[in-house]
Amino acid sequence: MLSKNEQKKIRLLGEKKYRSKLGLFVAEGLKIVRELVEEGYIFESIFSSKPIGFAPYKLIDKASLKKVSYLTNPDSILAIFKIPKALNDIETDKFSLALDSLSDPGNLGTIIRLSDWFGIKNIYCSHNTVDCYNPKVVQSSMGSIARVNCQYLDLATFLSKCNSTIYGANLNGLSHYDCSYDQKGILVLGNESHGISSHVNDQIDQFITIMSKADESSAESLNVASACAIMLGEIFRPQSLFKS
């Protein structure tokens, strides 16, 4: 059974201010918890309704887990991890992503997972982008949060100092099929409703558009995570990987 203090702490960690204050975050699900442990994340507590063999844990019943879970259908395990010390490594010699004012946790988690799939190690986020240790972000990243570094910074200032080519996802840009990407480039994705903010827009070297089949489509736009997947699939297509 979970103590009242344990229950309270888990609930508080749903809010960013308490995650920042305590330096902790919640992860759920066997795959995610195991990957975080294997990647060297330090855990404070692991609670499980089933035996596990990869780390010490406290056995609790399913009813107790359901009370504190952030999932509609809780898995058998929930853990509290320490937020690792922020890495301030700015790597501009490899292709990276930049996120401007993303607000949906599911989108950020999916983009982190996509970055892991395509070997992108750094995502540069504006300060008002959703926290990467939000429980929904951690969950939708499916463990990829352990291998992708999200840095929060003044995005416009950061981009203004980069020597990389800055690409921006936009509805009125060059077709992404016709773009020859720089291997040191940075792709900027904007807010789900408002796109890239004006002060970040000023730093874009090339706007990129995913072309629709206009005569058969009435959709106004794509979900930002879907757009990210399509663009990265083209950027990392082996036969056309980067200009020299």
Side-chain angles (χ1 to χ4, degrees):
M1 181 179 292
L2 290 167
S3 69
K4 289 184 178 179
N5 284 339
E6 288 169 336
Q7 292 180 45
K8 181 179 179 181
K9 178 181 285 187
I10 292 168
R11 292 193 187 102
L12 288 176
L13 292 176
E15 297 183 40
K16 182 180 178 180
K17 64 179 179 179
Y18 289 110
R19 290 195 296 273
S20 299
K21 180 179 179 180
L22 299 174
L24 301 169
F25 72 98
V26 170
E28 296 189 64
L30 182 61
K31 178 183 184 297
I32 296 172
V33 172
R34 178 160 35 202
E35 286 195 26
L36 287 167
V37 171
E38 290 175 349
E39 291 291 337
Y41 273 63
I42 299 171
F43 59 88
E44 182 182 88
S45 307
I46 297 179
F47 308 101
S48 180
S49 62
K50 296 179 181 179
I52 59 172
F54 58 87
Y57 67 99
K58 179 177 180 178
L59 188 65
I60 62 172
D61 57 79
K62 290 183 178 180
S64 296
L65 188 61
K66 189 172 184 178
K67 284 182 180 179
V68 295
S69 175
Y70 289 93
L71 303 177
T72 304
N73 297 303
D75 203 323
S76 60
I77 186 169
L78 179 150
I80 298 174
F81 285 92
K82 292 185 178 181
I83 294 175
K85 185 177 180 180
L87 296 175
N88 294 316
D89 297 334
I90 305 297
E91 292 186 343
T92 55
D93 60 337
K94 296 179 181 178
F95 201 89
S96 304
L97 290 179
L99 305 179
D100 182 25
S101 308
L102 255 69
S103 60
D104 184 86
N107 282 335
L108 178 55
T110 301
I111 289 171
I112 291 171
R113 191 176 181 185
L114 285 166
S115 297
D116 189 23
W117 179 262
F118 286 105
I120 293 174
K121 300 301 182 185
N122 287 293
I123 301 178
Y124 304 106
C125 305
S126 62
H127 287 300
N128 59 344
T129 288
V130 62
D131 178 26
C132 65
Y133 292 110
N134 177 301
K136 292 181 180 179
V137 175
V138 175
Q139 184 65 30
S140 56
S141 80
M142 291 303 294
S144 291
I145 187 71
R147 292 176 292 276
V148 177
N149 178 35
C150 293
Q151 297 190 49
Y152 289 79
L153 37 67
D154 184 317
L155 192 56
T157 300
F158 165 69
L159 294 175
S160 71
K161 296 178 180 179
C162 284
N163 294 321
S164 308
T165 304
I166 312 299
Y167 304 94
N170 184 285
L171 291 175
N172 299 299
L174 176 70
S175 168
H176 77 296
Y177 294 119
D178 296 329
C179 183
S180 182
Y181 291 92
D182 186 338
Q183 62 180 329
K184 298 180 181 180
I186 298 175
L187 173 62
V188 181
L189 299 167
N191 176 268
E192 292 87 346
S193 299
H194 307 294
I196 300 171
S197 57
S198 58
H199 59 293
V200 173
N201 249 343
D202 293 340
Q203 308 305 323
I204 304 297
D205 298 310
Q206 177 65 66
F207 289 102
I208 306 297
T209 298
I210 297 172
M211 305 307 294
S212 68
K213 196 167 183 180
D215 57 337
E216 296 183 14
S217 173
S218 57
E220 291 183 0
S221 63
L222 286 171
N223 168 278
V224 66
S226 299
C228 180
I230 293 169
M231 287 185 164
L232 292 182
E234 180 64 21
I235 290 167
F236 288 95
R237 193 158 55 98
Q239 60 266 40
S240 63
L241 187 61
F242 304 128
K243 65 184 180 183
S244 58

